[in-house]
Every structure is written in structure tokens, then in C-alpha cells.
Amino acid sequence: RKEVEQDPGPFNVPEGATVAFNCTYSNSASQSFFWYRQDCRKEPKLLMSVYSSGNEDGRFTAQLNRASQYISLLIRDSKLSDSATYLCVVRWGSARQLTFGSGTQLTVLP
Amino acid sequence: DVKVTQSSRYLVKRTGEKVFLECVQDMDHENMFWYRQDPGLGLRLIYFSYDVKMKEKGDIPEGYSVSREKKERFSLILESASTNQTSMYLCASSPQGAYTEAFFGQGTRLTVV
């Protein structure tokens, strides 16, 4: 079983739609959580950190459920520019390294 | 702005060659990482370093070694390149701390023929 699992998609949604991605992690000692975005042939970049109480940044909302060991990302009012791969990322306990999910591909259609 | 720079965007090497991938960061970060990214497998950690001359194996270290002689530079070495090492290689750096993000270089697409 992978340590961080995501639905690979692809998710194809029309502009203006709301789309949600989930990610599950296997290690209950996980300490910090992130969503990264990766455009085609580019490097991953931080989209947002995920805090215990949930957090919002404009059209993006991240939630953490420690009891069920999953995190989610909600994108409202999708734009064409949101088309990318979204990577769920977890850091275990005192580990220095981040563990990545395989990513979920999103395409927003005109 | 944090900058992580990888020496090459594209490389083509022959089987059996020794290959050096270089990465430099300009933010005085303690931690540096080498990942490879393959379709369907996501990013997998090869090696990381948390200090000069310190290194730790990641999930897939076989066939690779690393060097960190200066804080800002972290090199990945393929001792004898093989075709199954054809991949996208991504270097990253991060400061110390449990809640810190990692910053990535632009990636090196290595093809071994």
C-alpha cells in the first residue's frame, strides 16, 4: 500500500465548476501536510499548506481529517488556468523529507 | 525569492557513463533532496542531505550516490548509467522545521540510451 494515495484522475470539468480531490495517508504520525501544483513539464510548486482547522486561500480550501487520515482540496469556480496536476504531500513526524502522492490530473474545459 | 537551480534541463547519456547532476540553492537551506519522477509513480526520494557532508538514503538509492561538500550545492551521481534511470530528476531544498515547504529546481530530463 502506498504511503500517500491519490485518485490519479483525470478530472475533466467545465469552467466554473467546483471540484474536490482527496488524499489518504498511511502513517498516523504524520505531522505536516501540503498541496503542491505541477504544471506540464514544470517543477512542483507549493499551492497551500494544510492546517488542522482547515484553511482557505481564495477559491481553494484545504481540509485535514486526522481521525480518518485524509486531506482534501476543494477548488471553486474553476478557471482554465487551474489545469495542472495536484500533488498531496505529507511529512512524517520529525522526518526532514516530504512524501508525495502520485498526483491528480485536472483539466478545466472551456 | 528562493532559487534552486539545476545545471541542465535535458541530458542524453550512454549506458555505462558516469553522470553528474548538479543542484545549487541560494537560500542557505539546511536540507536538500533528490527525487525522480516517473509517470504513474509520482516523485520518489533518492537521497537527501541535512547538512554538509551528511546524507541519508531515500526510498530508491540503488545505482545512485550523492555529494554535499558545500551547503548550497548537492550533487547526484549515477555511477554507471542504465536505461532504467531514464527519468525526470528534481532537486529540492527546504529550511529546518516540521512545517516548512520544499522548493524545487526546474528539473533535469535525463535520457540514457
Side-chain angles (χ1 to χ4, degrees), chain B residues 87-99:
Chain B
S87 186
M88 169 68 84
Y89 289 88
L90 289 157
C91 174
S93 73
S94 75
Q96 290 284 47
Y99 302 98

Side-chain angles (χ1 to χ4, degrees), chain A residues 2-3 31-32 34 36 38 41-46 49 87 91 93 95-103, chain B residues 9 31 33 35 37 40-43 45 48 50 56 90 94 96-102 104-106 109:
Chain A
K2 288 184 180 176
E3 295 177 306
Q31 187 166 12
S32 49
F34 309 88
Y36 275 67
Q38 186 173 24
R41 300 188 184 281
K42 299 276 192 175
E43 73 273 22
K45 292 185 178 178
L46 180 70
S49 302
L87 301 165
R91 176 181 276 121
R96 293 176 175 87
Q97 70 272 33
L98 300 172
T99 300
F100 287 76
S102 299
Chain B
R9 287 297 302 272
N31 302 321
F33 311 89
Y35 290 87
Q37 186 173 29
L41 297 176
L43 276 83
L45 182 65
F48 68 99
Y50 54 90
E56 286 196 25
L90 289 157
S94 75
Q96 290 284 47
Y99 302 98
T100 58
E101 66 177 284
F104 283 85
Q106 78 276 28
R109 183 163 294 282

Side-chain angles (χ1 to χ4, degrees), chain A residues 5-105:
Chain A
E5 292 209 59
Q6 295 182 249
D7 181 345
F11 285 64
N12 298 316
V13 302
E15 265 188 293
T18 295
V19 61
F21 307 135
N22 286 331
C23 164
T24 58
Y25 59 93
S26 60
N27 189 334
S28 59
S30 301
Q31 187 166 12
S32 49
F33 309 88
F34 309 88
W35 283 102
Y36 275 67
R37 170 195 169 126
Q38 186 173 24
D39 294 301
C40 189
R41 300 188 184 281
K42 299 276 192 175
E43 73 273 22
K45 292 185 178 178
L46 180 70
L47 177 66
M48 57 197 302
S49 302
V50 186
Y51 303 118
S52 296
S53 54
N55 47 300
E56 192 173 299
D57 182 2
R59 298 181 293 108
F60 299 84
T61 301
Q63 296 278 354
L64 168 63
N65 185 318
R66 283 191 183 272
S68 301
Q69 294 183 205
Y70 78 82
I71 68 173
S72 64
L73 177 68
L74 182 78
I75 305 175
R76 290 181 299 279
D77 188 24
S78 300
K79 311 289 185 194
L80 296 176
S81 57
D82 294 334
S83 297
T85 297
Y86 291 83
L87 301 165
C88 172
V89 186
V90 177
R91 176 181 276 121
W92 320 125
S94 60
R96 293 176 175 87
Q97 70 272 33
L98 300 172
T99 300
F100 287 76
S102 299
T104 298
Q105 186 180 341

Side-chain angles (χ1 to χ4, degrees), chain B:
Chain B
D1 239 11
V2 174
K3 192 137 187 185
V4 180
T5 304
Q6 295 182 227
S7 52
S8 305
R9 287 297 302 272
Y10 301 95
L11 271 181
V12 180
K13 296 292 181 181
R14 294 196 180 278
T15 301
E17 276 194 78
K18 191 168 186 175
V19 181
F20 292 86
L21 302 183
E22 307 284 347
C23 176
V24 178
Q25 51 99 0
D26 65 359
M27 281 301 292
D28 202 36
H29 286 167
E30 290 79 10
N31 302 321
M32 295 189 75
F33 311 89
W34 276 106
Y35 290 87
R36 65 178 279 178
Q37 186 173 29
D38 301 288
L41 297 176
L43 276 83
R44 293 178 293 166
L45 182 65
I46 304 171
Y47 267 98
F48 68 99
S49 168
Y50 54 90
D51 202 351
V52 174
K53 297 193 186 295
M54 304 303 290
K55 61 184 179 185
E56 286 196 25
K57 293 180 180 179
D59 300 317
I60 51 163
E62 296 79 18
Y64 304 95
S65 61
V66 290
S67 172
R68 193 162 180 205
E69 296 296 318
K70 293 185 177 181
K71 190 174 185 180
E72 67 270 19
R73 186 179 296 268
F74 192 35
S75 302
L76 179 69
I77 303 149
L78 286 66
E79 297 290 343
S80 177
S82 63
T83 54
N84 63 12
Q85 293 178 309
T86 292
S87 186
M88 169 68 84
Y89 289 88
L90 289 157
C91 174
S93 73
S94 75
Q96 290 284 47
Y99 302 98
T100 58
E101 66 177 284
F103 299 86
F104 283 85
Q106 78 276 28
T108 296
R109 183 163 294 282
L110 172 66
T111 302
V112 182
V113 297

